[in-house]
Structures are given as C-alpha cells and as structure tokens.
Amino acid sequence: MRRFKQVRKQEKSTQRGVSMIFALLALIVLTLATAALVRSVSGGMVALGNLGFKQDATRAATGGAEAAIQYLTNNVSTAILNTNNNANGYYATAFANLDVSGAQARMGAPGATFAVPDWDADGCAGYSVGVVAPCLPVVTVPTTSPFFNANNRTSYIITRLCPGTGSPGAANPCMQPRTSGTGEARERGNLTSASNLRVTVAMTGTYFRVITRVQGTRNTVSFTETLVHF
C-alpha cells in the first residue's frame, strides 16, 4: 500500500510540471500576439500621420502657384517674359532635359546632363560635377507674401513653353492652345444657349509651366505642376 501511494504521488507531481510548461507557452504566444498588435497599430498611425502631412504640403503648393501666376499677370503684356529672369525664378525657355525632382540627375546616365531646380538654394551642390547643366535658381515664397504658409517652405519656378528666348513667332514657335476663347453675352453677363456672340474673344496665349515644391513637416516633400496661358 505504501508503494502504491508513493507512485500516485509522483504521477501528480509530473502532471503539475507539464501544466506549468503549457501555461508558459501560452503566455509567450499571448505576449508575441500583443506585441504584433501594438506594432501594427503604431505603424498604421505613423502612415496616417505621414499621409496627413503629405496632403497638407500639397495644399500649400497652391500658394506657390498663385504667387507665380501673379508674377505672370503683372508682366504678361511686357517684353520681360521674353528673357530669363533668375531672380524671379522665370525662364523664357522650356528645358527638354528638366529634372524637376533631381532623381534622374542623381542616378545620372553617362554623358547626360540635366537642368535641375536649385530647391535647396545650395547651387546644386548635392550633384556630381558635370551632371547639372544648368542649375536653375528658384523663388521661395517670402513671409511678406499673402501666399506665405508658415508651416511649409514653398518654392517655385516658371518656364515658358518655347524653344528659345525672344518673342513668340515663326522663328520661336511657342506652345499654345489649339482653340480657346472666352464667352460674352448680352444678358447681364450670363452665358446661355440663347445668347448671341457667345465666343467672341480668341485667346491663343503662350503656355507657361509653373512647378512648385513644398517641404513640410517631417521633411515631407510635394511637387505640383500647373499650366497657364493668358
């Protein structure tokens, strides 16, 4: 009898040890699952935050485009737009090799050169010698401008879509809309199907390309492009 009781006691002790191992394994699995859940939620919040900053930077690009359009509006009837004006980020020539973001210039095909906007105002120092030609000064919207955005650094350049400088014409065929016009009506400015002379003013102005770069919170960068003509 004593031997039987001793054997039963050893079996109970063994069973308790196995239960402890299973309990520890379950605890480890739960811990790993919790850590994975926390990491997933944290990654999702970071992604949402970055998306919000990206959208904010894109919205701020409107200010840069409006500042560029204001410059064009002030000078569209003058000969100023026939020549380059680096101080105002304006170029009367369309660059066939224009690399807006600088990505192609950084990868750089052998012997290739790119026109790169100087977004960082460092003379395009971050590129290899002989890759950037030319380095294009840009305009950063100043704090005194009505288009200034305190949370973002907005810069822009303007290129006229012409093969060269000088007045548009047969020798300098600039890109223009094929057909374009504005409407005029006699009924208090309303344009309806019953209006006479609905399209009376032809508009065949040269296209201008406005490229805007916004650097926002957490170094978020957004590029936009706007085509305008007058």
Side-chain angles (χ1 to χ4, degrees):
M1 290 295 293
R2 291 180 179 177
R3 183 176 298 177
F4 176 76
K5 290 182 178 179
Q6 187 175 1
V7 172
R8 295 286 295 176
K9 185 175 182 181
Q10 290 177 352
E11 290 179 356
K12 290 181 179 180
S13 299
T14 302
Q15 292 175 358
R16 292 173 181 174
V18 173
S19 299
M20 180 62 71
I21 293 175
F22 279 111
L24 290 174
L25 290 175
L27 181 61
I28 293 173
V29 171
L30 291 174
T31 302
L32 292 176
T34 303
L37 179 62
V38 171
R39 184 174 181 179
S40 176
V41 173
S42 177
M45 294 299 294
V46 171
L48 288 174
N50 290 339
L51 179 61
F53 291 132
K54 184 74 172 181
Q55 291 175 340
D56 181 64
T58 302
R59 285 192 296 268
T62 303
E66 290 179 348
I69 292 172
Q70 184 64 55
Y71 171 79
L72 293 173
T73 301
N74 293 340
N75 297 283
V76 70
S77 59
T78 69
I80 292 177
L81 300 184
N82 293 334
T83 58
N84 296 332
N85 191 335
N86 295 0
N88 290 287
Y90 175 78
Y91 303 92
T93 303
F95 296 95
N97 61 338
L98 180 61
D99 184 8
V100 174
S101 65
Q104 291 180 304
R106 287 188 175 89
M107 292 187 298
T113 59
F114 301 91
V116 179
D118 189 14
W119 299 119
D120 296 323
D122 59 358
C124 300
Y127 301 92
S128 300
V129 177
V131 175
V132 177
C135 179
L136 307 176
V138 303
V139 172
T140 298
V141 177
T143 57
T144 55
S145 171
F147 308 113
F148 175 73
N149 187 304
N151 298 323
N152 301 277
R153 183 175 183 268
T154 305
S155 305
Y156 66 86
I157 64 169
I158 309 169
T159 62
R160 188 179 63 162
L161 300 188
C162 299
T165 59
S167 301
N172 189 27
C174 300
M175 185 176 293
Q176 298 176 341
R178 294 183 61 184
T179 57
S180 180
T182 58
E184 289 185 353
R186 299 175 181 177
E187 293 82 10
R188 301 177 60 184
N190 296 322
L191 188 62
T192 66
S193 59
S195 301
N196 296 323
L197 301 175
R198 289 184 295 153
V199 179
T200 58
V201 181
M203 299 186 67
T204 57
T206 302
Y207 274 119
F208 297 90
R209 182 186 184 190
V210 178
I211 302 170
T212 305
R213 178 185 184 266
V214 180
Q215 184 173 3
T217 310
R218 294 186 181 180
N219 291 325
T220 302
V221 176
S222 178
F223 291 91
T224 64
E225 180 178 339
T226 306
L227 291 179
V228 298
H229 70 89
F230 299 88

